[in-house]
Amino acid sequence: MRIIRLESNILRDMEPIIYPLCVMELRSTTTASEIAGHLRERILAGEFAPGTRMHQVQLSEMLGISRTPIREALAHLANQGLLIYEPNRGYAVRAFSVEEIRAAFEVRARLEALACGLCARNGLTKPVLARLKACLAEGDALLSKGFLDPDDLAPYRAMNVEFHETILQKSGNPFLGDFVRQCHNVPLASDRVFVWKDYGIITRSHDDHHRILHAIETRDSERAEALMREHVVYASLVLLRMLDEVKAAPKADDSPLRPRRIA
Amino acid sequence: MRIIRLESNILRDMEPIIYPLCVMELRSTTTASEIAGHLRERILAGEFAPGTRMHQVQLSEMLGISRTPIREALAHLANQGLLIYEPNRGYAVRAFSVEEIRAAFEVRARLEALACGLCARNGLTKPVLARLKACLAEGDALLSKGFLDPDDLAPYRAMNVEFHETILQKSGNPFLGDFVRQCHNVPLASDRVFVWKDYGIITRSHDDHHRILHAIETRDSERAEALMREHVVYASLVLLRMLDEVKAAPKADDSPLRPRRIA
DNA sequence: AGTTCTTATTTTGGATACATTAATGCGAAT
DNA sequence: ATTCGCATTAATGTATCCAAAATAAGAACT
């Protein structure tokens, strides 16, 4: 097979500065990426049972588009680890064992801890610190009632995501954010999809946030790393405990899923 | 948009044990995946300059196939982080800064260290230990000449890959292997694509392998983790030093790229 | 001469049609 | 009754075609 060097578009390569408008957040998202996001949500929500085959024609009829963007979306999801692909057999929803969920948390704990330590080591700018402080303040406000209002759960979750995402983004290491995001693709192993309903545990978790930001502000990277690691590890323990309880008593499906203190 | 639950193939879901032959390594790879692997190698080899647009028609004519599998392969590579995708603009070879290469090593060091510590903590089976010992023996043999034969470089690299891959696979955490493999997709940041040509450094690196296996055998997870972390961190330092030297003297393009001792 | 608007070409995104491979069902033989 | 084998069916993989968007080129204007 011959070796041919593709010629590059000189203008775009050399002077990207003259195309500022093109770089803006136009986001003329293609339908394939929309489908991918759509299916991603539904898979993470547990709508498709693990092992379910994702038939392309079926999906195309269901969504009213042709197979081409479907295929692209499925390939994308397979690369993200949500689907399993076998040549000439198609895609199927990946089944995650409890052990894999634990493994995802284990890696996530290390990566987020590293990101947190890097933030402390390198220092954050004042606007970023202000953003994190705003997260703390919002959490304080939501928890000030002394109990957890179900209506406050969604905003608390959003705040939690922003706190963690900000630290990841400002760590200066783009791979940390990428990989942690992949960990969140494991169903149930994500703060984004699920959050505890126990006021005590959430309060403690939010107190961790306070300490984490303090460690970052005082540039104590060791402490910041240790705090974040424990913060995530404990979340995994709570979740795994809940999964155990659910498995032990699958009949009470609508039970409040109250986690108990692990110690 | 209606919600339709896809029916799953009961047989495959419930009794995977009765399909042992299907699970075997048939690998009837589709052309799209072949193309993806092919392009991946060429990109990592630096054949396509960073920023180069990957025109689909151009590639399809070059490779003698239609655009469809090309598109699938490009999407795959973009998901792996080798290409950048912009809607309606296509794919371009991603440019990695030195800082990103360093970041990839930083994450890789932590992840491989964790994998190594887990192997020590959980213990490895005798056949796996034997495989690692075989790697050590092969390295010993290749380095016994007292200098590095260029012909031995490829087998040494293969041995090195197997040593690291074995530890990752046997760590019991599948995400570690996945993420480390993604780190290897960063050009130059991979043992697989590039290996040092300095006998002293390779000897020291191989000595690390000896100590790492010793730590695993003695179930000293702390030591195993620390050793592997330093093992990878030092590799990054050597590479970054080389990149600095290349950048400092870009004229001598065919220079031997000899790294110096860093201390 | 430089700038801007319009037009033409190129390239990507999506739809459809065809080829190939795996799964299924039926039937016969053991 | 079970199993093996063949034919059928269905699903995936690939090629081609059309539409839309972006880029490039050119003409008109300041």
Side-chain angles (χ1 to χ4, degrees):
Chain A
M1 195 172 286
R2 284 183 309 159
I3 293 177
I4 299 177
R5 178 174 290 273
L6 296 178
E7 65 206 20
S8 57
N9 185 324
I10 304 291
L11 259 182
R12 288 205 63 78
D13 297 337
M14 303 302 285
E15 300 177 3
I17 194 75
I18 69 172
Y19 290 91
L21 292 175
C22 301
V23 182
M24 280 178 59
E25 294 272 350
L26 301 180
R27 293 294 138 204
S28 72
T29 64
T30 178
T31 64
S33 59
E34 276 180 34
I35 296 298
H38 175 78
L39 290 177
R40 183 174 176 279
E41 294 301 323
R42 292 173 72 171
I43 291 171
L44 284 178
E47 187 174 327
F48 302 99
T52 304
R53 298 283 294 273
M54 301 295 273
H55 292 279
Q56 298 171 3
V57 285
Q58 214 166 340
L59 288 170
S60 68
E61 288 169 5
M62 182 194 305
L63 301 172
I65 57 175
S66 87
R67 271 178 56 210
T68 308
I70 295 280
R71 283 177 61 91
E72 203 158 324
L74 292 178
H76 192 79
L77 296 175
N79 284 320
Q80 288 190 339
L82 271 84
L83 300 177
I84 294 292
Y85 171 71
E86 286 177 87
N88 294 316
R89 296 265 325 273
Y91 298 86
V93 178
R94 178 170 171 183
F96 287 96
S97 65
V98 173
E99 176 53 32
E100 280 174 305
I101 294 174
R102 198 202 56 73
F105 267 105
E106 183 173 46
V107 171
R108 200 189 126 204
R110 298 280 187 141
L111 295 179
E112 289 212 49
L114 174 55
C116 199
L118 288 174
C119 285
R121 168 176 293 275
N122 302 328
L124 295 180
T125 63
K126 281 185 181 175
V128 176
L129 287 173
R131 235 166 80 194
L132 292 175
K133 279 176 187 167
C135 287
L136 294 186
E138 187 181 351
D140 290 340
L142 292 171
L143 294 174
S144 64
K145 298 178 181 176
F147 64 94
L148 186 65
D149 189 336
D151 292 340
D152 292 340
L153 213 133
Y156 185 87
R157 187 167 54 195
M159 179 279 294
N160 188 55
V161 169
E162 186 183 350
F163 187 84
H164 284 263
E165 268 295 329
T166 301
I167 289 174
L168 284 169
Q169 283 176 13
K170 300 304 176 184
S171 70
N173 190 325
F175 295 94
L176 291 173
D178 290 348
F179 294 160
V180 167
R181 240 160 272 136
Q182 287 187 51
C183 288
H184 285 297
N185 281 335
V186 178
L188 297 181
S190 169
D191 294 345
R192 293 155 175 73
V193 174
F194 196 79
V195 84
W196 326 297
K197 299 191 176 76
D198 184 283
Y199 180 75
I201 289 182
I202 291 187
T203 303
R204 160 65 201 244
S205 172
H206 189 59
D207 195 56
D208 288 347
H209 286 187
H210 275 279
R211 295 201 187 188
I212 285 168
L213 182 53
H214 182 260
I216 291 176
E217 279 188 300
T218 56
R219 311 291 292 274
D220 189 340
S221 69
E222 297 280 342
R223 182 174 170 237
E225 184 167 343
L227 280 168
M228 181 59 91
R229 187 165 153 188
E230 172 61 20
H231 182 67
V232 176
V233 164
Y234 191 80
S236 77
L237 293 179
V238 172
L239 177 68
L240 294 174
R241 162 66 62 101
M242 287 165 72
L243 290 180
D244 260 355
E245 290 183 0
V246 171
K247 194 166 66 178
K251 316 250 177 176
D253 203 11
D254 52 356
S255 65
L257 283 184
R258 276 289 200 75
R260 295 181 196 150
R261 185 162 293 272
I262 298 174
Chain B
M1 196 171 287
R2 284 182 309 159
I3 293 177
I4 299 176
R5 177 174 292 273
L6 297 178
E7 65 206 22
S8 58
N9 185 323
I10 304 290
L11 261 182
R12 287 204 64 78
D13 297 338
M14 303 302 285
E15 301 176 3
I17 194 75
I18 68 172
Y19 290 90
L21 293 175
C22 300
V23 183
M24 280 177 58
E25 295 271 351
L26 300 180
R27 293 292 139 206
S28 71
T29 65
T30 178
T31 64
S33 59
E34 277 181 32
I35 295 299
H38 176 77
L39 290 177
R40 183 173 175 279
E41 295 299 323
R42 291 173 72 171
I43 292 170
L44 285 177
E47 187 175 325
F48 302 99
T52 304
R53 300 283 292 275
M54 301 294 273
H55 293 279
Q56 298 172 1
V57 285
Q58 213 166 342
L59 288 169
S60 68
E61 289 168 5
M62 182 194 305
L63 300 172
I65 57 176
S66 90
R67 268 179 58 210
T68 308
I70 296 282
R71 284 181 54 175
E72 203 157 323
L74 292 177
H76 194 79
L77 296 175
N79 286 323
Q80 289 191 339
L82 269 83
L83 300 177
I84 295 292
Y85 170 72
E86 286 177 85
N88 296 316
R89 299 261 327 272
Y91 299 86
V93 178
R94 176 169 171 186
F96 286 96
S97 65
V98 173
E99 176 53 32
E100 280 174 306
I101 294 173
R102 198 201 55 73
F105 267 105
E106 183 174 46
V107 172
R108 201 188 126 204
R110 297 280 187 140
L111 294 178
E112 289 212 49
L114 175 55
C116 200
L118 288 174
C119 285
R121 169 176 290 276
N122 302 329
L124 295 179
T125 63
K126 281 186 182 174
V128 176
L129 288 173
R131 236 166 79 193
L132 292 175
K133 279 177 189 166
C135 287
L136 294 187
E138 187 181 351
D140 290 340
L142 291 171
L143 295 174
S144 65
K145 298 179 182 177
F147 64 94
L148 186 65
D149 190 334
D151 293 340
D152 292 341
L153 214 133
Y156 184 87
R157 188 167 53 194
M159 180 279 295
N160 188 56
V161 169
E162 187 182 350
F163 187 83
H164 285 262
E165 268 294 328
T166 300
I167 289 174
L168 284 169
Q169 284 176 12
K170 300 305 175 182
S171 69
N173 189 324
F175 295 95
L176 291 173
D178 290 348
F179 294 160
V180 167
R181 240 161 273 135
Q182 288 187 52
C183 288
H184 284 298
N185 282 334
V186 179
L188 297 180
S190 169
D191 294 346
R192 292 156 175 74
V193 174
F194 195 78
V195 84
W196 326 298
K197 300 193 177 76
D198 183 285
Y199 181 75
I201 289 182
I202 291 187
T203 303
R204 161 64 202 244
S205 172
H206 188 59
D207 195 55
D208 287 348
H209 286 187
H210 275 278
R211 294 201 187 189
I212 285 168
L213 182 53
H214 182 260
I216 290 175
E217 279 189 300
T218 57
R219 311 289 292 274
D220 189 340
S221 69
E222 297 280 341
R223 182 173 170 238
E225 184 167 342
L227 279 169
M228 181 58 92
R229 187 165 154 189
E230 171 61 19
H231 182 66
V232 176
V233 164
Y234 191 80
S236 78
L237 293 180
V238 172
L239 177 67
L240 294 174
R241 163 65 62 99
M242 286 164 73
L243 291 180
D244 261 354
E245 290 183 1
V246 170
K247 193 166 67 178
K251 316 249 176 176
D253 204 11
D254 53 356
S255 65
L257 283 185
R258 276 288 199 77
R260 294 180 197 153
R261 185 162 293 271
I262 298 174

